[in-house]
Amino acid sequence: MADNDSRQGKSYFNKAILDWTAAVHAPHDAGLQQAFDAPARHGLPPIQVAPSEGKLLELLLRLAQARTVVELGTLAGYSTLRLARALPAGGKVYSLESDPRHAAIARDNVAAAGLSAKVEVLEGKALDVLPSLEAKGPFCAVFIDADKENYDRYGRWAAAHVRTGGLLLGDNAFLFEELLDDTPRALAMRRFHEEARAAFDTVCIPTPDGILLGVKR
Ligand code: SAH
Ligand code: DHB
Ligand code: MG
């Protein structure tokens, strides 16, 4: 089989360069900085998207002229703010979070950023909460960033509830270098990739841990 690796095995990951380009293109105002710093401040895991990834989410939603977004996995609200910033007046992010403490911290950060009118943080396990959102759909975008073992189920929900031309976004699409392993969550993530391709035009953007992008057919 042909080797389509244009990098010929070399890794181009360089933290200093990522930090410099993020500072140029994806700087934080006070609201974004508070949400970005919140996991460390409150003892939550520091697993929010990187600044450049957050800015990418923002620009992709603007390109799609998104008005309604469903986010799975709020944490402290950093990506939630990035999504909300892309929406016009009257737009809404429904962000699903299973940990009540995370949800409370996120609501505070969203309020501090002045974006409460555009965000609803919904508590509960995503698979339990998603059915209650269906009447508000179809949605302009779904951003998946919660428990990795359910990405295949989340992707199926997105395929059924994203409008034509709307976006599927999936963080950690390389699964921390474990995508090709023989584990239940690796199988679920590979199914997520393969099934997304059937309902969306897709690409896996090679960020450090991969972001799956799909445009609904
Ligand atoms: N999107 C956030 C990071 C999310 S981290 C950001 O970039 O800023 C993943 C979050 O998903 C955690 O807060 C975790 O509590 C939550 N989570 C895990 N399993 C979940 C589930 N089944 N339903 C909803 N949220 C879940
Ligand atoms: C983890 C989860 C994430 O969504 C992420 O972006 C990084 C790490 C985790 O569960 O460890
Ligand atoms: Mg993630």
Side-chain angles (χ1 to χ4, degrees):
M1 194 168 100
D3 184 350
N4 289 334
D5 181 3
S6 58
R7 299 169 306 172
Q8 294 167 325
K10 183 177 182 340
S11 170
Y12 282 77
F13 182 90
N14 180 306
K15 187 173 185 311
I17 288 175
L18 286 176
D19 287 349
W20 187 89
T21 51
V24 170
H25 299 289
H28 288 162
D29 63 14
L32 287 172
Q33 192 63 41
Q34 174 173 323
F36 191 83
D37 291 342
R41 211 168 52 246
H42 295 277
L44 274 42
I47 55 176
Q48 64 276 48
V49 295
S52 295
E53 295 162 355
K55 181 70 179 285
L56 175 65
L57 298 177
E58 226 179 295
L59 295 183
L60 289 170
L61 290 203
R62 277 173 52 194
L63 283 168
Q65 298 183 53
R67 304 180 54 84
T68 57
V69 184
V70 176
E71 172 177 64
L72 311 189
T74 315
L75 191 64
Y78 178 69
S79 58
T80 315
L81 290 183
R82 286 295 195 176
L83 299 170
R85 285 158 58 98
L87 306 184
K92 193 75 89 178
V93 180
Y94 302 96
S95 187
L96 280 48
E97 174 54 56
S98 59
D99 187 321
R101 198 166 151 255
H102 297 188
I105 291 167
R107 286 193 193 96
D108 282 351
N109 291 331
V110 169
L115 283 165
S116 295
K118 288 182 177 170
V119 174
E120 282 184 36
V121 178
L122 304 172
E123 281 177 42
K125 288 192 181 297
L127 287 172
D128 297 334
V129 177
L130 283 171
S132 72
L133 278 176
E134 289 171 8
K136 297 184 196 293
F139 298 94
C140 302
V142 173
F143 174 53
I144 302 172
D145 197 18
D147 50 320
K148 311 311 167 197
E149 37 284 303
N150 282 316
Y151 266 45
D152 54 346
R153 292 181 180 89
Y154 300 149
R156 275 173 221 138
W157 189 90
H161 298 285
V162 170
R163 67 158 164 83
T164 301
L167 304 182
L168 172 66
L169 294 155
D171 193 33
N172 311 108
F174 292 158
L175 197 60
F176 324 112
E177 297 192 283
E178 295 165 20
L179 181 62
L180 304 185
D181 288 6
D182 186 15
T183 62
R185 72 175 188 166
L187 288 167
M189 187 65 85
R190 293 205 297 278
R191 264 198 301 272
F192 169 66
H193 280 261
E194 291 167 352
E195 293 182 14
R197 187 182 55 190
F200 299 82
D201 261 323
T202 49
V203 67
C204 190
I205 305 170
T207 57
D209 198 31
I211 293 178
L212 191 101
L213 167 65
V215 179
K216 184 82 189 301
R217 297 180 200 282

